Amino acid sequence: MIEQDKAVRLKTLAREIRDELGEHNVLDALARELAVGRLAMAELTAELAAMRQEMDVIKLVQKGRDILLPQARAQYAGRRKAVIEAGMPMPSERGFYGLERDGVGNPFRWTGPSAAFHFDFHLDRSVPLRFVLQMPLWGAEHAQGLRAVSDDLDLPLLKRPGHRVLDFEGVLLPRESLGVTRLTFIAEHLSTVPSNEDETATRQLGVPFLRLNVAEISEAEFAEWLKSVEPGPADAAASKTNKPAAAASAGAASAAP
């Protein structure tokens, strides 16, 4: 802005300020304007200080992450196997009732009272991991429509009847993020039965649980599993290995028990 323009602009602003202040109580009006300006400046200063504090916290968190991330990767590396059985301690908040035994003394647990029950693992997720949920064969009717969810994805389940057991097989697909892996199952139906402790009360039962196995799956086994949940050419199935979301969501309807 050239000097002549500045002078014109200053005169214009001065005239506008005189018009706003008026002819009376000029000092009071000016004091009020100054007070408003100082208050606005104080608020901006406080906001700036808060933003700087937040940035310092973010930088500290990032620094800690950069320091701990290699250690976490090393800690998780190779953890590709887990086994959970009904006889192990299983908190009720994970969706399980107390330990029971069937007619021949085998331990099992009913899931409930909600439709969902879950397991938490510390696993190396750099490779595909197969999980197998096992329940007694007599629980097949309760397991109709059973679903599995992990990492916000519906996971296709293959139902495989065996000797006195029923297996539900799925795959946890690789992911880059570290941290707890939560595998959630959701029963489609709940049964209302009398409570074991109080005949006047009832329980909401999902499915009978025996055990859950998680283990690494080979590339060949993974490709075969993909064919099972999504029939198609072998090369199309292989291309899904690097597309977790697509592989997990495709074929869910045909793979449901």
Side-chain angles (χ1 to χ4, degrees), residues 98-237:
L99 185 65
E100 302 180 43
R101 296 186 181 275
D102 61 17
V104 294
N106 296 318
F108 75 97
R109 289 176 186 264
W110 281 106
T111 67
S114 65
F117 57 100
H118 69 267
F119 306 87
D120 290 334
F121 306 99
H122 295 278
L123 295 170
D124 180 351
R125 296 292 303 280
S126 61
V127 298
L129 302 174
R130 175 166 50 200
F131 63 87
V132 179
L133 178 74
Q134 195 171 79
M135 63 182 65
L137 193 57
W138 53 262
E141 183 177 349
H142 298 273
Q144 293 295 325
L146 184 68
R147 295 169 50 220
V149 178
S150 187
D151 300 323
D152 297 323
L153 294 174
D154 284 332
L155 307 180
L157 288 175
L158 297 178
K159 183 168 64 175
R160 304 184 187 278
H163 179 62
R164 294 186 178 180
V165 296
L166 186 63
D167 292 342
F168 288 87
E169 178 184 323
V171 171
L172 292 168
L173 296 161
R175 73 180 189 192
E176 294 183 358
S177 60
L178 298 176
V180 173
T181 293
R182 172 161 293 188
L183 177 57
T184 301
F185 293 90
I186 304 170
E188 187 174 71
H189 307 287
L190 293 175
S191 303
T192 302
V193 301
S195 172
N196 291 341
E197 292 77 17
D198 185 356
E199 294 183 357
T200 62
T202 59
R203 293 193 300 170
Q204 300 294 318
L205 304 182
V207 300
F209 168 76
L210 291 177
R211 65 185 57 85
L212 177 71
N213 291 283
V214 182
E216 183 178 356
I217 185 173
S218 68
E219 292 184 6
E221 291 172 324
F222 185 32
E224 193 65 28
W225 180 83
L226 285 175
K227 292 179 184 179
S228 300
V229 298
E230 186 184 31
D235 56 348

